[in-house]
């Protein structure tokens, strides 16, 4: 199993297509290292809960910063006290290691405050 800390130390690589999505056995292995994340089809997601809107928006801004640095952007569903984060590599029609790297960076950012 690849620990979250190892994934969060990696950098996303540009993906313009032409490579296959990750095989399911690798997806399963990487998911085991990300607590609370699940797979639905060709994406991984997790819903984060917060005490109030301010905390939710602070989290969304942290994700925006991570996404900008990695040039890999999730779909976000934002509510008053929650945010659902969904990753998929659209250029390849499935999951790449970039999705797991960004998910791990989000997890690390939550616990490094």
């Amino acid at each position: 199993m690849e620990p979250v800390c190892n994934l969060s130390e990696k950098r996303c690589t540009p993906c313009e297509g032409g490579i296959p999505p990750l095989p399911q056995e690798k997806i399963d292995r990487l998911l085991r290292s990300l607590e609370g994340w699940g797979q639905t089809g060709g994406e991984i997601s997790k819903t984060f809960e917060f005490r109030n809107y301010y905390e939710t928006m602070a989290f969304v801004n942290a994700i925006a910063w991570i996404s900008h640095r990695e040039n890999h952007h999730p779909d976000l569903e934002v509510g008053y006290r929650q945010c659902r984060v969904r990753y998929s590599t659209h250029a390849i029609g499935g999951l790449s290691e970039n999705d797991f790297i960004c998910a791990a960076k989000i997890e690390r950012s939550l616990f490094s405050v």
Side-chain angles (χ1 to χ4, degrees):
M1 172 175 11
E2 186 160 6
V4 171
C5 60
N6 287 351
L7 279 171
S8 68
E9 292 168 5
K10 292 184 174 185
R11 295 297 309 255
C12 289
T13 57
C15 181
E16 300 299 327
I19 63 166
L22 292 175
Q24 189 61 48
E25 59 272 3
K26 179 144 187 179
I27 292 169
D28 294 341
R29 185 168 42 87
L30 291 170
L31 266 178
R32 284 192 294 273
S33 71
L34 294 169
E35 187 176 335
W37 288 80
Q39 179 186 10
T40 304
E43 69 180 25
I44 58 170
S45 66
K46 181 176 180 177
T47 300
F48 295 87
E49 302 283 335
F50 302 96
R51 291 182 292 196
N52 54 49
Y53 188 70
Y54 175 79
E55 287 183 6
T56 303
M57 294 313 294
F59 176 73
V60 168
N61 284 321
I63 290 174
W65 183 80
I66 290 167
S67 301
H68 175 72
R69 287 198 42 145
E70 295 300 324
N71 197 27
H72 192 69
H73 306 87
D75 291 318
L76 302 175
E77 298 168 21
V78 181
Y80 180 76
R81 292 176 27 159
Q82 67 181 14
C83 179
R84 182 169 183 234
V85 181
R86 297 184 299 129
Y87 276 106
S88 179
T89 304
H90 302 290
I92 64 171
L95 291 163
S96 72
E97 187 176 56
N98 290 348
D99 301 306
F100 294 91
I101 290 170
C102 287
K105 287 180 183 282
I106 288 171
E107 291 295 323
R108 183 179 70 183
S109 75
L110 287 173
F111 297 107
S112 65
V113 221

